Amino acid sequence: MVPMTPRRSDALSRERIVEAAVRILDTKGEGGLTLRAVTAHLSTGRGAIYHHVTNKEELLAAAADDVIRAVVTGDSVRDLALGIFDAIDVHPWLGAQLARDPSQPAVLRIFKSVGVGLRTHGLAGTALSDAGAALVNYVLGAAAQHAAGARQAAGESAREDYLEALAAEWAGSDDDPLVQEAAALLPGHDDRAQFLAGVDIFLRGISG
Amino acid sequence: MVPMTPRRSDALSRERIVEAAVRILDTKGEGGLTLRAVTAHLSTGRGAIYHHVTNKEELLAAAADDVIRAVVTGDSVRDLALGIFDAIDVHPWLGAQLARDPSQPAVLRIFKSVGVGLRTHGLAGTALSDAGAALVNYVLGAAAQHAAGARQAAGESAREDYLEALAAEWAGSDDDPLVQEAAALLPGHDDRAQFLAGVDIFLRGISG
DNA sequence: ACCTGAACACCGTTCAAGT
DNA sequence: ACCTGAACACCGTTCAAGT
């Protein structure tokens, strides 16, 4: 009898390609994800990838959805938002990727979960869609900024010094007391705590 | 007498380079901004750019700041937010650029204006910096999503069809009434009106 | 059907050589 | 000091040729 097609465990598949992409993105960052790096990692030929994935853009979207899928399981909107923030903290490339296209699978998945979560807050109709869009946009914006900041945190203390110097420049260059205090916005905050404070402002604005 | 250095009006300068970059970005989009396109537009040699700008990243940041500078003049936070949204609507490449690096000049400029604006709402200390960060992140996130959506609006009706089909798929695949209504989040909204609704949710959350 | 790897048409950046 | 343009070291994607 002829056996079923053997399906060698190392056969190329969309799943294995996406898996490799996530690993490379986590290891070398966004700039490290080249088609050449992927094919080297899978020890296959250059063009083999294109039999399973249409192009690099789709590969990035698939990698993002792979990570987000595991995260949108939280019950409350607050937990959901925090889960997304933490995922982007662990995978900084996610921040830029989610901001790139609102109709990619990962963003739609987030939209769905937020929508469901907000329904339990008693929202419906326009109020629901306005609040849902606002919360999703806040989460994606905050996470993108945090990820971009963390990415260049090679010289973390250097960045802190830079922001402090800038705050001093603002305070010094303008007598307006408003500017003086606005300068305090800049340096040294716990991004995660500040992110949660923002979520709470939104939730207060929704129920208010 | 020897005249002052003549300063031919077409002499290369950082200002003219940034100006050309903005024009190219507006015309051909983010993918159209190549160093080759810039040098062709200014009819100069490849490497001449590098005497006035350190690299492409800095050129993009300078282009973004050039546009934002003209926008952060509004008085109320609401007007300021709307001005940024409209600027990104006109210059879609701005959406991705502002999300790329929180310590670039344009983002810091926005932070300063929002900080000053929120002080007039009576905020100070941690409440001010939390609210400032939240508002900036929301504005940048919403604008980035809007710009990304608008960028692929070549087939605008195609995208609308896609979202409607997806909403139908959500509604059909899940009996949960929460999902049913969450599907209504997806298609057909006025992004600008929804953006403003989000700003108002946020302002309500601050004063609440 | 799936895979290979050379070839193509691009990039950003550098640098010796000119003015 | 500023500019030129060829050269370098990369990209993503395609495609004839193999299995």
Side-chain angles (χ1 to χ4, degrees):
Chain A
M1 261 194 184
V2 177
M4 308 276 287
T5 43
R7 275 205 165 276
R8 288 165 55 204
S9 67
D10 62 344
L12 210 50
S13 69
R14 186 188 157 94
E15 194 179 53
R16 286 191 67 232
I17 293 171
V18 172
E19 202 175 279
V22 171
R23 197 189 311 271
I24 292 169
L25 285 163
D26 287 347
T27 311
K28 320 254 183 190
E30 194 167 352
L33 184 74
T34 66
L35 269 295
R36 280 157 177 83
V38 174
T39 53
H41 197 276
L42 296 168
S43 38
T44 181
R46 204 83 75 217
I49 305 293
Y50 292 87
H51 283 98
H52 301 90
V53 162
T54 34
N55 53 29
K56 193 185 177 181
E57 188 184 332
E58 203 220 358
L59 179 55
L60 268 163
D65 196 43
D66 211 48
V67 174
I68 288 297
R69 191 184 5 241
V71 160
V72 291
T73 55
D75 298 322
S76 72
V77 235
R78 206 167 178 274
D79 288 351
L80 178 62
L82 204 53
I84 296 170
F85 182 88
D86 286 340
I88 293 177
D89 189 55
V90 176
H91 312 277
W93 51 272
L94 248 186
Q97 176 54 34
L98 294 178
R100 201 159 296 162
D101 173 15
S103 54
Q104 70 182 301
V107 173
L108 296 172
R109 196 184 289 279
I110 291 171
F111 245 101
K112 184 175 178 179
S113 295
V114 167
V116 171
L118 284 179
R119 275 271 359 224
T120 70
H121 278 65
L123 295 177
T126 309
L128 175 63
S129 56
D130 284 354
L135 187 55
V136 170
N137 286 331
Y138 167 69
V139 170
L140 296 185
Q145 293 285 314
H146 170 66
R151 228 180 298 135
Q152 52 178 228
E156 182 164 1
S157 64
R159 192 171 156 254
E160 203 64 24
D161 289 352
Y162 168 67
L163 289 180
E164 273 183 40
L166 187 71
E169 188 194 310
W170 283 5
S173 71
D174 200 326
D175 286 339
D176 190 338
L178 296 184
V179 173
Q180 299 272 344
E181 192 157 3
L185 296 214
L186 285 183
H189 290 103
D190 176 354
D191 271 12
R192 196 170 186 269
Q194 206 167 57
F195 172 76
L196 263 186
V199 172
D200 288 336
I201 288 175
F202 263 99
L203 293 177
R204 216 157 36 233
I206 286 171
S207 59
Chain B
M1 261 194 186
V2 177
M4 309 276 287
T5 43
R7 275 207 165 274
R8 288 165 54 202
S9 67
D10 62 345
L12 210 50
S13 68
R14 186 187 158 94
E15 195 179 52
R16 287 191 67 233
I17 293 171
V18 172
E19 204 175 277
V22 170
R23 197 188 312 271
I24 292 168
L25 285 163
D26 287 348
T27 311
K28 321 253 182 190
E30 195 168 352
L33 184 74
T34 65
L35 269 294
R36 279 157 178 83
V38 175
T39 53
H41 197 276
L42 296 168
S43 38
T44 182
R46 205 83 73 219
I49 306 293
Y50 291 89
H51 284 98
H52 301 91
V53 161
T54 33
N55 53 30
K56 194 185 177 180
E57 188 183 333
E58 203 220 357
L59 178 56
L60 269 162
D65 196 43
D66 211 48
V67 173
I68 288 297
R69 188 181 12 238
V71 161
V72 292
T73 55
D75 299 322
S76 71
V77 238
R78 206 166 178 275
D79 288 350
L80 178 63
L82 203 53
I84 295 170
F85 182 88
D86 286 340
I88 293 178
D89 189 56
V90 176
H91 313 277
W93 50 273
L94 248 186
Q97 176 54 33
L98 294 178
R100 201 159 298 163
D101 174 14
S103 54
Q104 70 182 303
V107 172
L108 296 172
R109 195 183 289 279
I110 291 172
F111 245 102
K112 185 176 177 178
S113 296
V114 166
V116 170
L118 284 180
R119 275 271 359 226
T120 70
H121 278 65
L123 295 178
T126 309
L128 174 63
S129 56
D130 284 353
L135 186 55
V136 171
N137 287 331
Y138 167 68
V139 170
L140 296 185
Q145 293 286 313
H146 170 67
R151 227 179 299 136
Q152 51 179 226
E156 182 165 2
S157 64
R159 192 171 156 254
E160 204 65 23
D161 289 352
Y162 168 67
L163 290 180
E164 273 183 41
L166 187 71
E169 188 195 311
W170 284 5
S173 71
D174 201 324
D175 286 339
D176 190 338
L178 296 184
V179 172
Q180 300 271 344
E181 192 157 3
L185 297 213
L186 285 184
H189 289 103
D190 178 353
D191 271 12
R192 196 169 186 268
Q194 205 166 57
F195 172 76
L196 263 186
V199 173
D200 289 336
I201 288 174
F202 171 84
L203 292 176
R204 219 161 28 238
I206 286 174
S207 59

